[in-house]
Amino acid sequence: SQTIHQWPATLVQPVGSPLSLECTVEGTSNPNLYWYRQAAGRGLQLLFYSVGIGQISSEVPQNLSASRPQDRQFILSSKKLLLSDSGFYLCAWRHSGEGLTPGWTEAFFGQGTRLTVV
Amino acid sequence: SQQGEEDPQALSIQEGENATMNCSYKTSINNLQWYRQNSGRGLVHLILIRSNEREKHSGRLRVTLDTSKKSSSLLITASRAADTASYFCATDALTSYDKVIFGPGTSLSVIP
């Protein structure tokens, strides 16, 4: 069966420090991968998604970047954190659209990382 | 943006009552899905309805889709305290199905 791992669960970082959040998926190949951010009591904001190794689509220009060095690994990074980067970060995957009609299946989420920038 | 608003933003009901949440979107879609999120956790998929479907059931859940109005509703019947959570709808655009866009969600409180 497929599983998704996201870590760490909580993180407190000072302003100006770097960030690296990692997400890995097991039990599937060539998944679509997603990074979302959720402010307290709010909806999910799509930050990045990837349909393949090295392919990153950025939805919101900001202080963050994403990379996909391996098929089932998705990394969210920042060189210098801002206070406004605080939030709940969620990684998700779903099967790619290949072979499926009309297109896609449900997304499976990790348990999230609560980032507090102080 | 592709996604509109969900309403209500917050809903409080007594156990046993039905809960109805609505979702609106702006662009043509392939599918619409509903997810549930317990406080501080990841989202869990509840139900998917395709653009050519009008209604779908899963246990105590009933989802409707009106593509002419670009809206969907989620009905939870005979609610339980354990249904307390936030509920989100998500869509993909007809022309960019790789993107999964979520609405702002409805916070449901079921009072025992």
Side-chain angles (χ1 to χ4, degrees):
Chain A
S1 63
Q2 302 94 348
T3 56
I4 179 169
H5 302 281
Q6 186 182 345
W7 67 93
T10 59
L11 190 59
V12 180
Q13 292 283 97
V15 168
S17 64
L19 172 74
S20 181
L21 301 181
E22 188 164 342
C23 173
T24 60
V25 179
E26 296 178 355
T28 188
S29 59
N30 194 32
N32 285 0
L33 296 171
Y34 304 85
W35 277 112
Y36 292 89
R37 178 169 62 197
Q38 185 178 32
R42 305 293 299 276
L44 277 71
Q45 179 186 35
L46 178 61
L47 301 176
F48 302 95
Y49 69 97
S50 171
V51 300
I53 296 175
Q55 300 179 60
I56 308 295
S57 296
S58 175
E59 289 301 296
V60 182
Q62 56 198 318
N63 188 40
L64 301 169
S65 62
S67 62
R68 185 171 178 173
Q70 301 180 47
D71 181 44
R72 289 168 288 181
Q73 184 185 30
F74 206 23
I75 298 172
L76 183 69
S77 303
S78 173
K79 293 182 179 178
K80 290 185 178 181
L81 283 169
L82 306 172
L83 287 174
S84 58
D85 291 325
S86 293
F88 190 49
Y89 289 83
L90 288 156
C91 179
W93 77 272
R94 69 174 178 91
H95 293 288
S96 69
E98 291 182 9
L100 299 176
T101 304
W104 63 291
T105 64
E106 66 263 32
F108 301 90
F109 282 81
Q111 289 304 302
T113 295
R114 187 161 303 282
L115 172 66
T116 303
V117 182
V118 296
Chain B
S1 68
Q2 175 183 331
Q3 192 54 270
E5 292 293 320
E6 288 168 1
D7 74 275
Q9 291 186 346
L11 180 61
S12 183
I13 60 174
Q14 295 289 327
E15 202 166 30
E17 294 180 339
N18 295 341
T20 299
M21 290 159 273
N22 302 295
C23 164
S24 63
Y25 56 92
K26 296 180 178 177
T27 62
S28 296
I29 62 171
N30 285 313
N31 310 281
L32 185 143
Q33 301 186 21
W34 285 90
Y35 290 79
R36 167 195 169 123
Q37 183 184 34
N38 288 342
S39 180
R41 305 297 298 274
L43 278 72
V44 176
H45 177 260
L46 294 177
I47 193 166
L48 176 151
I49 186 165
R50 301 196 185 282
S51 58
N52 62 353
E53 297 177 313
R54 292 297 167 259
E55 187 172 313
K56 202 158 186 181
H57 297 255
S58 177
R60 294 184 295 114
L61 304 180
R62 173 178 170 251
V63 169
T64 61
L65 178 65
D66 187 336
T67 53
S68 66
K69 296 181 179 179
K70 291 185 169 59
S71 68
S72 173
S73 68
L74 170 67
L75 168 67
I76 303 175
T77 60
S79 64
R80 306 167 182 167
D83 294 328
T84 295
S86 292
Y87 293 82
F88 298 88
C89 69
T91 60
D92 65 327
L94 197 64
T95 55
S96 59
Y97 60 81
D98 290 319
K99 292 171 59 173
V100 184
I101 304 296
F102 285 80
T106 294
S107 177
L108 173 66
S109 296
V110 181
I111 303 168

